[in-house]
Amino acid sequence: MTLSQQRILATEIPGPRSRELQARKVASVSAGVGTTLPVYVERAGGGILRDVDGNQLIDFGSGIAVTTVGNAAPRVVEAVQRQVADFTHTCFMVTPYEEYVAVCEKLAELTPGSHEKRSALFNSGAEAVENAVKVARHHTGRDAVVVFDHAYHGRTNLTMALTAKNMPYKHRFGPFAGEVYRAPMAYPYRWPGGAEACAEEAFDAFVTTVRTQVGEDSCAAVLIEPIQGEGGFIVPPPGWLARVAEWCREQGILLIADEIQTGFARTGDWFACDHEGVVPDLLTTAKGMAGGLPLAAVTGRAELMDSVHVGGLGGTYGGNPVACASALAAIETMEAEDLRARAREIEARFVPRLRALAERHPDRVGDVRGRGAMLAVELVSDGPGRTPDAALAGAVHRACSARGLVTLTCGTFGNVFRFLPPLAIGDDLLAEGLDVFEAAFDDAVSGKVE
Ligand SMILES: *Cc1c(COP(=O)(O)O)cnc(C)c1O
């Protein structure tokens, strides 16, 4: 039975059954695991999340950029059911299976660059980032890794060190892994010298950081999200990433692109690096790749990936056969339904409306940015003063939730309102979701939301 693609408000949100479940959650789940919207989901698909009270919410979050093909895409459901009945696990490091190899073949085909590539599969994005750093250090014999302001790379010990933001990711969780250095990010909206000067000055600041704090010949890798995710959907100016990539190549420093959030059609191409013509040495993927099942990968130049001794990479569950079957079906769906074009179409539908909102509220919407179906507005309290307004982002979020629209915020200052709709969402729901967002925004600005 298919889920009707309709927003339904059957109870207040959250409804009574969700509130009961939330009470059980509080009594059994660690308080450290937060929930953005405590509405308990019963079914989901297309652009709809149906909760246990019969409410149907429009999904503008995709479980944080994961359900690109939807939460129950037919090819994914069929492939997973078939695979789970065949076998659930053998451990690829013990007795291998075709699905793992087929995912790595697909990664070699789709990731930037036509050179010889190899991949290794893992369970989560953080694990992929850790392994990309392992490969880079092993191959170069160098220790240092350079990351950027506003970066997000995960929550494990090494990736906490790589991540920029203290609260909630790092606060009181140290000590962190060493030999991690941070350079300024090319953030046009907040660049001190202004957006025009950003590309040039940010490149100089990056080179100075590596040169003065690390030393080029001690630097194993530069790790970057080509469009930053959790840090605020920050799109660097055109050409900046390519310059960074070229400079790294001259220094023998490896470039690792973290495409965990941006990858697999999200930004309107297979990878965000594609828009900039950048070919990284190593690339990490996860989130949208496997239709909601946990799967992550490191893909890189064959000579790097093959330089590691046998047994140096792996893990019990990495590249689980059910997750691999799901990824193959999700990627097939992206190809068959041309979801890259769909992401560009979503951008074309969203951006004019977000710009109109910015014109209506010039003191509150400081910036409209993003690419494909990865879009955001940065909220401020004083227009050109650019003072971050996290309270407004929170109020808009609450107003959207109450009206049955699932949304997410992000940003170092908590003031970025982001849009990550599933690419399987229909045009009607997209338009309706935007109506809901605009009404919620107007109410929040005029103080009608507590
Ligand atoms: C989500 C994310 C990660 C971490 O992925 P997990 O699967 O949550 O460990 C790393 N890098 C980026 C860019 C991400 O968006």
Side-chain angles (χ1 to χ4, degrees):
M1 203 182 70
T2 56
L3 185 62
S4 79
Q5 294 296 299
Q6 238 187 331
R7 180 171 61 119
I8 297 173
L9 296 177
T11 68
E12 62 180 326
I13 293 183
R17 292 200 57 207
S18 276
R19 288 201 300 272
E20 266 172 51
L21 286 164
Q22 185 66 6
R24 283 171 56 193
K25 184 252 179 195
V26 168
S28 61
V29 179
S30 163
V33 182
T35 46
T36 305
L37 175 57
V39 153
Y40 284 74
V41 173
E42 191 176 74
R43 288 191 64 196
I48 288 290
L49 304 172
R50 182 179 170 87
D51 78 6
V52 290
D53 291 291
N55 298 298
Q56 294 200 167
L57 290 77
I58 299 176
D59 183 11
F60 272 7
S62 298
I64 318 187
V66 169
T67 54
T68 300
V69 297
N71 315 66
R75 287 181 186 82
V76 169
V77 171
E78 199 270 324
V80 166
Q81 285 174 341
R82 188 159 25 87
Q83 181 57 45
V84 87
D86 284 351
F87 65 97
T88 56
H89 175 83
T90 62
C91 187
F92 189 78
M93 301 184 303
V94 180
T95 46
Y97 38 87
E98 181 179 349
E99 289 76 9
Y100 188 117
V101 177
V103 169
C104 295
E105 288 169 349
K106 215 61 207 170
L107 281 162
E109 177 195 329
L110 298 177
T111 54
S114 54
H115 53 285
E116 190 80 0
K117 295 171 199 160
R118 304 281 186 269
S119 293
L121 304 184
F122 304 96
N123 303 295
S124 70
E127 212 188 332
V129 172
E130 293 239 2
N131 279 279
V133 171
K134 277 168 66 173
V135 172
R137 284 177 168 161
H138 186 90
H139 181 80
T140 59
R142 304 172 177 180
D143 291 337
V145 178
V146 172
V147 289
F148 291 86
D149 284 335
H150 312 289
Y152 181 83
H153 297 293
R155 297 168 178 266
T156 57
N157 187 263
L158 173 58
T159 58
M160 278 193 292
L162 302 168
T163 289
K165 191 175 176 176
N166 176 49
M167 202 58 176
Y169 307 123
K170 303 168 78 162
H171 183 63
R172 295 177 67 129
F173 292 141
F176 304 111
E179 286 310 302
V180 173
Y181 300 84
R182 198 169 299 284
M185 175 64 188
Y187 185 170
Y189 177 65
R190 293 196 177 277
W191 191 257
E196 292 291 296
C198 180
E200 189 70 27
E201 292 181 11
F203 175 74
D204 291 345
F206 157 74
V207 171
T208 302
T209 302
V210 181
R211 193 161 281 160
T212 62
Q213 295 184 32
V214 187
E216 293 90 325
D217 56 4
S218 298
C219 187
V222 168
L223 167 63
I224 186 161
E225 299 155 87
I227 296 174
Q228 287 182 322
E230 304 305 299
F233 280 28
I234 298 163
V235 187
W240 177 80
L241 187 63
R243 266 188 94 183
V244 168
E246 190 190 329
W247 186 82
C248 286
R249 194 157 34 245
E250 288 163 10
Q251 310 302 326
I253 299 169
L254 300 179
L255 183 73
I256 308 173
D258 182 348
E259 293 248 19
I260 287 167
Q261 191 153 161
T262 47
F264 283 101
R266 176 55 57 186
T267 66
D269 211 328
W270 283 113
F271 295 94
C273 280
D274 293 326
H275 299 288
E276 290 286 315
V278 167
V279 179
D281 299 293
L282 295 160
L283 180 139
T284 56
T285 49
K287 293 201 166 97
M289 168 162 63
L293 271 76
L295 187 69
V298 180
T299 302
R301 285 181 11 227
E303 68 273 24
L304 307 181
M305 297 295 290
D306 283 345
S307 71
V308 179
H309 48 278
V310 175
L313 304 175
T316 306
Y317 294 112
N320 168 274
V322 183
C324 287
S326 183
L328 292 169
I331 295 166
E332 190 191 320
T333 304
M334 292 173 200
E335 288 174 326
E337 298 178 6
D338 197 0
L339 292 187
R340 286 174 295 162
R342 182 61 183 153
R344 294 193 293 269
E345 213 173 274
I346 288 174
E347 178 179 353
R349 283 170 190 271
F350 262 76
V351 169
R353 291 191 60 173
L354 297 180
R355 289 207 199 288
L357 184 81
E359 269 167 39
R360 239 181 24 253
H361 298 286
D363 288 337
R364 311 310 294 275
V365 180
D367 197 20
V368 175
R369 59 177 179 252
R371 198 155 225 164
M374 182 174 179
L375 300 166
V377 286
E378 177 156 358
L379 307 185
V380 295
S381 56
D382 52 1
R386 301 179 190 211
T387 308
D389 195 343
L392 178 59
V396 177
H397 171 75
R398 286 192 297 282
C400 287
S401 302
R403 290 171 165 84
L405 176 68
V406 177
T407 57
L408 300 170
T409 58
C410 66
T412 296
F413 313 108
N415 66 322
V416 178
F417 206 90
R418 60 172 154 171
F419 303 94
L420 287 165
L423 302 184
I425 196 170
D427 287 341
D428 291 353
L429 284 185
L430 268 188
E432 189 180 341
L434 276 165
D435 292 342
V436 170
F437 166 69
E438 286 167 1
F441 196 94
D442 291 339
D443 278 5
V445 163
S446 57
K448 286 191 204 141
V449 185
E450 73 289 346

